[in-house]
Amino acid sequence: MLRRLASLSHSNPEETSQEHMSPQPGDGPPSPDTSRQGGLAHVLRGLTSSKLSKSSPSIASPSSSIALPTAEFVHAPLTNLPVQQPRGLSSSHMESFELLKNGSPNERIAAANSLKYAIAEYPLNPVLDIWDAAKDLIDPAKPTAARAAGWELLTECVKHDASSDLERQEYFATLTAPANAEDFHLQLAALVDLTRRGRVLTGFDYQLVPLLTSWLWESYNVVRAARRRASRTPKSSARSRAAVSGEEKNLAQLFSFLIDVIKFSFNNADEPAVAGLVDRLMAICMSTSVEDDLKSSIAVVDAIVTFGSIPDEKLKGCIHVLSSIYCIVGSLQNHSWHTLSNLLKSHNGQATVRILLDILRNNRGDAKQEKDLNREIRGALAVLQKLMTKTPEQGYPAVPFALLVDGLTTIVRSATSIKTLTAILQLVNGLFDDGEGQMHRLIIDEDWSVILEAAADCSKRVTLEPHEIDRLRSNIRDEKPEEALIRELIILIKRLDVLINQKSGHFVPRPTVVTFLTEVHQYLPDATASSVLDYFQQFRCCSPSDLQWEDNLVLVLKGFFGNRERSSQIRLRALETIMDAYEVVDLVGDDPEQSFYSSPCQECPARCGRRDGCHSA
C-alpha cells in the first residue's frame, strides 16, 4: 500500500515538473529524503483537507491568514516608506546666502539683491535665516547702498504668508526701530507691505496707530523745517525744492497709509490712541498754511468718523477746527462740510449741534485771543447756516430756534468784529429766505422780535455816509467789511418788504417787521420806505390813538420828509402822512397837543409854520 502511494506521489505532474526544472542559482541539490517526505506530506495534506471540507464550518479565528497581510503592512520597517525631505535653498542661492552672512560689504549687497527675487519660492525656514543674516544691513551707520539693499530684502521677507504672530512681532520691531532719516520712504514701504496696506496687524495689533501718530508728527515737523529753509533761500535752489518735494511726498504717503489702517483695522486702535491721533491732526490744522496738509488731515478725520468714532473729549475741539476751515478756507469747504455732514448724521449729530450753539451762547474768558474767538464764532455761524438748508428727512438734526436766537443776541452784544456781525446777518437772511423764496420752517409761527432786534443792533455798529448807502443799494460790490454788513442788511430789508406785502399761508407779524424797518430807516430803499408809510397811514400810527404816535411822527418828519437824499415821491408821501396827523390832532382839540404843530416847521426849508400845507412841498 505504501509502495502504491509512493508511486502515485511520484506520478504527480507538478512534482515531476519541479524535479525537471533547472535549479535556481544558489540552491543546492535536493536530497532524496526531502523530496520523498515532501510528496507524502502533500498527499496527507490533501486527504486531510478533503475530510475537513466535509465537516461543519467553524468560526474564523481572529488570527487567521486573512489578517496577516494587514499586520505585515503595519509592522513593515520604516525604511521601506518614502521620506519627504524639506525644501531648502538652491545651490546658487546657497552661495548667495553664505556671502550674505560672511561676505564683504559689496558681496553682501550683491547677495541681498540676488536673494530678494527668490524669497517667494521658498518656505519659511530659509526666509527666517535670510532675515537674521540681513537685518543688520539697515543700521543707520551702514552705507547708503547697503541700507537700500537691506530694506528691499527685508521688505520681501515680510511678505511671506506663513509667518507666525511672534515672527511678525519681530519683523515689526526691526522695521520700526530708529533708522536713517533718508530711509524713511523705504521704512514706510516695508511697514505697508508687512500690514498688507493696513489689513493685517496680527502680532502688533495695538502698536501701529500710536507709532503712525508719532511718525506723522515727526514727518510734519520735518516738512515744515524744509519749507522754512526753502522760503529763506532767495530764489530757492533746485536742491532745496527737491528736498521739500521729497519730504512732502513722504508725508502724503504716510497720510494715505494712515487712512488705510483706519479703514481696515480701526478695531485695533484703543481710545487713547485715537485721541492722540486726533490731537496731532488738529495741531497740524492749526499750525499749517498749506492746503494739502489741511486736506489730508480732514481726510483722516473723515475716515475716523466713517469707520469708527471720535472720542467724546476730542469732539468739541474737532468741530471747532473743522467749522473754522469751512468758514475761512473757501477751496476746502466741500471737504470740511463732507466730514461735518458725516458727524451731523452720526450718533454724535445732536452733540455736534449743541457744541455749535454753545460757541455762540457761552461766556468766554480771556484764555483765548480775540482773533481765535472770532474765527470759532464765524465758523459756527457758517456751519449752522449750512445745516439749516438741510432737512431731518435727509438725516440731519434740527436746530432749536430758542437756543439759536439766544446765541445770536449774545454774540451781537459782545462781538467786536464786523465780519462776525456780517455772518450773523447772513444767518438771519437764511432764516427768512431758504433759497427758494420761502421762509425757513424754523421761524414759522415764532416770535421774530428778538432776532430782528439783533439784526438792528448789528446795523448800529456801522456808520456810513448817504452816498455810500446809495452805492450799496445799487448792488455795487466792495471789499470793505462795513459795506458787506450793510449789504446783508439791505438784503434782509428787501426780503421783509416782500413778506409784509405778499399774501401767503403763513402768519407774518407785520407790526414787528415795521418796527424793525423804522429802526434801520436810513438804509431803506424807496420802495420799502413807501411800504412803511402805507402801513402808517393804514393803521393810523401817527395819530394819538397809537401809543407811539409821537415817535412815529418824528420818524416820518425827520427820517423821510427831512431826508433830502430821498426821492420827491417819498417826501411827498411823508408830507401827506404828517398833514393827516395834524388834522386828527385838530379834531381832538387838546391844547397841550396844539403846541406840537403850532411852532414853525423845523424841517421845512421855508419855515412857514402853516397848518394847511407847506410851501416847500
Side-chain angles (χ1 to χ4, degrees), residues 183-488:
D183 300 338
F184 179 73
H185 63 290
L186 298 173
Q187 187 178 22
L188 181 60
L191 189 59
V192 169
D193 288 332
L194 175 62
T195 61
R196 310 296 190 270
R197 294 205 63 86
R199 290 170 172 82
V200 182
L201 306 188
T202 53
F204 46 89
D205 305 63
Y206 292 94
Q207 303 176 42
L208 183 59
V209 172
L211 172 73
L212 295 181
T213 302
S214 176
W215 281 8
L216 179 66
W217 186 244
E218 293 174 1
S219 180
Y220 170 70
N221 288 327
V222 170
V223 171
R224 286 187 67 190
R227 291 169 179 166
R228 195 177 297 112
R229 288 192 300 269
S231 63
R232 291 174 182 173
T233 304
K235 296 182 180 180
S236 300
S237 62
R239 184 176 181 180
S240 299
R241 290 194 299 270
V244 174
S245 177
E247 299 297 344
E248 288 179 341
K249 185 176 180 180
N250 291 341
L251 182 61
Q253 291 176 347
L254 184 55
F255 271 119
S256 177
F257 179 48
L258 192 53
I259 292 174
D260 289 337
V261 171
I262 294 171
K263 185 184 300 183
F264 299 110
S265 304
F266 185 83
N267 292 336
N268 293 323
D270 53 13
E271 187 166 334
V274 178
L277 175 59
V278 172
D279 281 339
R280 291 306 188 189
L281 292 172
M282 296 302 102
I284 291 174
C285 291
M286 296 301 296
S287 60
T288 187
S289 58
V290 179
E291 290 187 3
D292 289 340
D293 297 344
L294 292 173
K295 185 177 180 181
S296 299
S297 300
I298 293 173
V300 177
V301 175
D302 186 68
I304 296 175
V305 174
T306 304
F307 300 98
S309 178
I310 294 180
D312 294 339
E313 66 273 13
K314 302 301 177 182
L315 183 61
K316 181 178 180 180
C318 188
I319 293 173
H320 286 187
V321 174
L322 289 175
S323 59
S324 299
I325 295 174
Y326 174 77
C327 175
I328 297 174
V329 187
S331 59
L332 296 179
Q333 276 192 347
N334 292 335
H335 295 86
S336 54
W337 172 250
H338 183 269
T339 303
L340 288 167
S341 174
N342 289 336
L343 267 175
L344 290 167
K345 290 188 288 187
S346 69
H347 65 283
N348 287 321
Q350 290 293 343
T352 302
V353 173
R354 191 56 183 260
I355 290 172
L356 293 172
L357 293 174
D358 287 343
I359 296 175
L360 308 181
R361 299 175 62 241
N362 291 345
N363 294 325
R364 295 161 182 81
D366 298 331
K368 292 185 178 180
Q369 297 181 358
E370 183 178 357
K371 181 179 179 181
D372 297 335
L373 290 176
N374 289 328
R375 183 187 64 246
E376 291 182 2
I377 293 171
R378 290 172 56 198
L381 291 171
V383 174
L384 287 171
Q385 181 181 354
K386 179 71 173 181
L387 177 59
M388 288 189 301
T389 63
K390 307 299 180 179
T391 61
E393 290 76 13
Q394 296 173 320
Y396 292 91
V399 180
F401 179 75
L403 297 180
L404 176 62
V405 172
D406 181 46
L408 294 180
T409 54
T410 302
I411 295 302
V412 170
R413 288 194 297 265
S414 60
T416 58
S417 172
I418 299 299
K419 291 183 178 180
T420 301
L421 299 175
T422 304
I424 293 176
L425 289 178
Q426 290 174 346
L427 177 59
V428 173
N429 282 328
L431 290 174
F432 288 98
D433 188 353
D434 61 357
E436 298 179 356
Q438 302 294 327
M439 291 186 298
H440 195 277
R441 63 185 181 281
L442 200 62
I443 64 171
I444 295 177
D445 298 331
E446 293 286 352
D447 182 13
W448 295 3
S449 59
V450 179
I451 194 170
L452 290 179
E453 183 180 355
D457 290 340
C458 291
S459 67
K460 296 175 183 177
R461 303 291 186 88
V462 178
T463 302
L464 295 179
E465 297 297 330
H467 67 277
E468 295 177 329
I469 298 175
D470 291 338
R471 187 174 71 254
L472 293 175
R473 291 177 187 148
S474 60
N475 295 325
I476 298 177
R477 295 289 177 179
D478 205 320
E479 297 298 330
K480 294 182 179 180
E482 295 81 3
E483 295 184 353
L485 186 147
I486 299 303
R487 184 179 295 109
E488 293 295 331

Side-chain angles (χ1 to χ4, degrees), residues 137-194:
L137 289 175
I138 63 174
D139 289 343
K142 294 290 184 180
T144 303
R147 297 197 312 271
W151 281 113
E152 292 176 359
L153 180 58
L154 296 185
T155 301
E156 294 299 324
C157 289
V158 301
K159 294 179 181 179
H160 206 285
D161 295 330
S163 302
S164 65
D165 291 355
L166 290 177
E167 290 158 353
R168 288 176 58 82
Q169 173 64 35
E170 202 276 334
Y171 292 162
F172 179 79
T174 302
L175 295 179
T176 59
N180 194 298
E182 297 178 356
D183 300 338
F184 179 73
H185 63 290
L186 298 173
Q187 187 178 22
L188 181 60
L191 189 59
V192 169
D193 288 332
L194 175 62

